[in-house]
Amino acid sequence: MMMVGGGGGTAGPIDFDGGWKIPPAGTQPALIGDGGTTIVVASGADAMSAGKFTGASTGPGPTVVYPTSGVMLPPNTNTMEFHFLPGAGQTLFRFTFVAPTTTLVVYTGCTPLGGGCVYTPDPTFWSSLVAYARGTTPISWTVSGVNGASPGAVGTSAVQSLGFTEQDLRGGLYYWNSAGSVVRYDYGYPNAPRQTFLTAGNVGALTCVGCHVISRQGNQIVVGKDIPAPAAYSVINVPTKMPVSSMSGPLTGSANFFSFSPDERHLLTSNGASIQWRNLFTGTIANVTNSGTMPDWSPDGLHMVYAKPASNPPFGFAVPGVSSASLQTMHFNGLGWDPPQPLVPFTGQNNYYPTYSPDGDWVLFNRSPSNRESFSNATADDAGVPDGELWAVASSGGAPLKLTQASSPGATQWPKWAPVKHSYASGQVMWLTFSSQRAYGLRLASGQQTQLWMVAFDPARAAAGMDPSFPAFWLPFQDINSGNHIGQWSTEVPRANCSGSGQSTCAAGEVCSNGKCRPG
């Protein structure tokens, strides 16, 4: 086992050294100048295809199903599918993407999908588009259709828009899949596949690992084992996957919800009924509140936010969810936690899964308008259809804002922030992910599978009382056949040390490069 680093005993004030900070995002501006027009002939089309789109624009236009117009993407999103329904008789299609200083046109046939068609740009085409579009005003795009065998009238879809931030996204995303594993995707290697990071065998579980939280810097992860009743947990060192110990022994216990302090030396835990504060150096545990769950530690180390049920679970029993909850905050005074203060009152809607934005200015949370219990609101059951919505409130207080675009068409769960701010044409955005059983274009019907979705959040819009969200997009590195939940972000993905080259000293799917195990 490994001893957690640092001091931080509970005998005196604890200094978080200003807390965790947003790492520099870096810049990579778009290409400027005249990029001209690039034409690509894709599968199902040929060199004669352009001449088949000279007819009158009087035909029925294709209907775009995915992505939603207005979506914003990190520029190192390595692929995007375009789903559409052809107009009557259409078999040949023309996509036209117009960026500020370049135009890209692709001719393609129909690759069948779910009663319609899907077009996936090849990597060269996609990277050429991104190079001119990152950080600029959104590109516009359309898809036109014609009968390839008997060209005549041309139909064109409504104009769509698609935007990119200027900076690439960095950091790691750790999520749970229904196979019972924690899966990792490293945005520093966007063309590498996802990796199975932790399995039941890694942590001594009987069947699976589940509830998990990664520290913001990514050096430690706490994982629950088997069912959340509450689940036995262990703190794991990320590079080595070895359990972490304190001065008094292994850092284990039972809980359903967790949050690391920004310096990675403390842990808030909850069994769904009460919240405890654990010193990861000494191992000591102190009770914080007997009525609260789902704690999240602020990036500056000075506050926590949590969900407080209207009434405690019977006899203080542990529970995996929360009902009729308000949101409360507590201030950390260096020695302990001051009395709670209300942030979002309960007014008939259940408020749960609160989480601080990377700058600490906003608290994102789920809301059930019908006051459904949070655990059962993840999937459809006898209690009804999931109605989880995304909301945000200033961490200093005020009226909550619904993330209307991101919440549509509903069924959201487990929102979490990515760790950086990015620039785009109109200002800055932060990124967040959530789980949802919403439809994914023509690939998944509503309610068919839980998947991870991502969306941009504009804090300036939020400060003005406007919907701060953009439409959400499906994260393209997922296994579509697996239920994927609880996306947790870190600023970095620490890598195990290795020697030599090749895979011999690294996990499956990794190679040894410059002394570190990296995706390969």
Side-chain angles (χ1 to χ4, degrees):
M1 292 188 179
M2 303 187 65
M3 181 75 72
V4 67
T10 56
I14 298 171
D15 180 10
F16 287 106
D17 297 323
W20 174 77
K21 303 297 184 184
I22 300 175
T27 59
Q28 189 172 343
L31 296 179
I32 58 175
D34 184 6
T37 298
T38 300
I39 296 176
V40 174
V41 177
S43 176
D46 56 34
M48 305 299 293
S49 295
K52 298 180 179 182
F53 285 83
T54 59
S57 299
T58 58
T63 301
V64 174
V65 179
Y66 178 87
T68 302
S69 184
V71 70
M72 179 74 67
L73 303 174
N76 59 331
T77 302
N78 60 3
T79 187
M80 168 67 72
E81 290 186 347
F82 295 85
H83 302 183
F84 61 98
L85 300 173
Q90 294 174 350
T91 60
L92 182 66
F93 304 93
R94 178 185 65 199
F95 279 82
T96 305
F97 298 90
V98 181
T101 58
T102 193
T103 297
L104 293 95
V105 177
V106 59
Y107 295 95
T108 182
C110 175
T111 300
L113 176 68
C117 308
V118 58
Y119 165 62
T120 305
D122 68 72
T124 300
F125 180 92
W126 186 247
S127 60
S128 298
L129 176 66
V130 171
Y132 284 93
R134 57 193 309 146
T136 68
T137 56
I139 67 172
S140 63
W141 66 276
T142 57
V143 53
S144 302
V146 71
N147 186 312
S150 179
V154 178
T156 300
S157 70
V159 177
Q160 310 288 304
S161 69
L162 174 66
F164 295 90
T165 54
E166 183 175 336
Q167 298 87 3
D168 287 346
L169 185 60
R170 293 288 185 260
L173 179 61
Y174 295 73
Y175 61 95
W176 180 83
N177 69 6
S178 53
S181 304
V182 173
V183 179
R184 178 171 71 187
Y185 182 75
D186 188 345
Y187 265 92
Y189 299 89
N191 294 317
R194 64 186 181 273
Q195 295 177 290
T196 298
F197 176 64
L198 289 178
T199 65
N202 291 132
V203 298
L206 295 176
T207 59
C208 69
V209 292
C211 297
H212 63 283
V213 167
I214 189 83
S215 64
R216 287 180 173 92
Q217 297 93 327
N219 296 305
Q220 299 183 66
I221 188 171
V222 55
V223 292
K225 309 171 191 178
D226 304 316
I227 62 173
Y233 73 81
S234 293
V235 179
I236 305 294
N237 176 271
V238 169
T240 65
K241 301 184 183 180
M242 296 293 294
V244 173
S245 285
S246 67
M247 292 177 61
S248 57
L251 289 167
T252 59
S254 297
N256 295 331
F257 306 98
F258 317 89
S259 182
F260 283 97
S261 64
D263 64 357
E264 301 182 307
R265 298 180 182 180
H266 301 264
L267 186 69
L268 293 170
T269 68
S270 174
N271 61 2
S274 60
I275 297 174
Q276 290 77 42
W277 163 35
R278 184 162 198 177
N279 185 310
L280 297 181
F281 181 70
T282 65
T284 57
I285 300 174
N287 196 59
V288 175
T289 176
N290 290 319
S291 180
T293 185
M294 304 174 181
D296 192 56
W297 211 313
S298 65
D300 63 6
L302 298 178
H303 299 87
M304 84 156 100
V305 63
Y306 65 96
K308 180 180 180 180
S311 58
N312 291 340
F315 309 106
F317 288 157
V319 290
V322 69
S323 299
S324 303
S326 62
L327 299 184
Q328 307 279 319
T329 61
M330 282 186 175
H331 173 256
F332 186 74
N333 59 32
L335 295 172
W337 299 91
D338 293 334
Q341 299 295 319
L343 181 64
V344 177
F346 171 71
T347 56
Q349 311 97 348
N350 191 21
N351 305 288
Y352 54 98
Y353 295 147
T355 178
Y356 281 102
S357 62
D359 59 6
D361 291 343
W362 298 92
V363 171
L364 176 70
F365 63 97
N366 264 138
R367 169 172 283 181
S368 168
S370 66
N371 196 28
R372 287 193 65 180
E373 185 268 338
S374 62
F375 190 71
S376 65
N377 205 27
T379 57
D381 56 21
D382 293 339
V385 177
D387 66 351
E389 298 173 341
L390 296 172
W391 287 69
V393 63
S395 58
S396 57
L401 289 166
K402 182 180 177 180
L403 278 62
T404 302
Q405 291 199 86
S407 294
S408 178
T412 71
Q413 196 82 338
W414 282 107
K416 288 293 178 182
W417 298 93
V420 293
K421 278 185 177 178
H422 280 180
S423 300
Y424 79 113
S426 299
Q428 290 187 316
V429 294
M430 295 179 285
W431 299 102
L432 60 98
T433 49
F434 58 91
S435 305
S436 179
Q437 284 195 328
R438 63 182 59 188
Y440 165 38
L442 299 171
R443 285 206 178 273
L444 289 174
S446 177
Q448 185 176 351
Q449 190 70 273
T450 301
Q451 296 280 280
L452 294 175
W453 292 74
M454 191 167 185
V455 65
F457 176 103
D458 186 328
R461 288 189 199 171
M466 303 164 58
D467 178 10
S469 66
F470 293 72
F473 64 95
W474 179 82
L475 287 172
F477 48 79
Q478 298 173 86
D479 179 359
I480 203 168
N481 298 308
S482 170
N484 301 318
H485 311 255
I486 319 177
Q488 303 275 356
W489 286 87
S490 64
T491 60
E492 302 289 342
V493 178
R495 295 286 174 179
N497 294 326
C498 60
S499 58
S501 61
Q503 190 191 337
S504 59
T505 57
C506 297
E510 296 182 336
V511 296
C512 188
S513 175
N514 296 322
K516 295 290 183 181
C517 292
R518 308 183 190 279

